[in-house]
Amino acid sequence: MSKTTRWLLVAAAVVWSVFAYQWMDVGCDVPKAYLAVLRYGTPEGLEFLPACHG
């Protein structure tokens, strides 16, 4: 794996974690927060309700 590929993967993981932290801040637990990033993107309004409880 090249250095560029490794840095891109690290950067993607950091961005994903920042977005997941936003979901955790509105009430999701860790696994649901990371999954909510893939399903819904960043939290807006009452989106966290289906993301965290559905």
Side-chain angles (χ1 to χ4, degrees), residues 10-14 19 22 24-25 29-30 34 40 43 45-47 49:
V10 168
V14 168
F19 289 152
Q22 292 176 350
M24 287 184 270
D25 200 35
D29 58 351
V30 175
Y34 278 91
Y40 304 104
L46 296 177
E47 238 178 359
L49 293 174

Side-chain angles (χ1 to χ4, degrees), residues 16-28 33 36-52:
W16 191 18
S17 295
V18 168
F19 289 152
Y21 178 76
Q22 292 176 350
W23 282 108
M24 287 184 270
D25 200 35
V26 295
C28 287
V37 172
L38 294 176
R39 288 186 178 168
Y40 304 104
T42 59
E44 296 175 11
L46 296 177
E47 238 178 359
F48 67 92
L49 293 174
C52 296

Side-chain angles (χ1 to χ4, degrees), residues 4-20:
T4 303
T5 304
R6 265 186 266 152
W7 280 110
L8 287 174
L9 289 174
V10 168
V14 168
V15 169
W16 191 18
S17 295
V18 168
F19 289 152

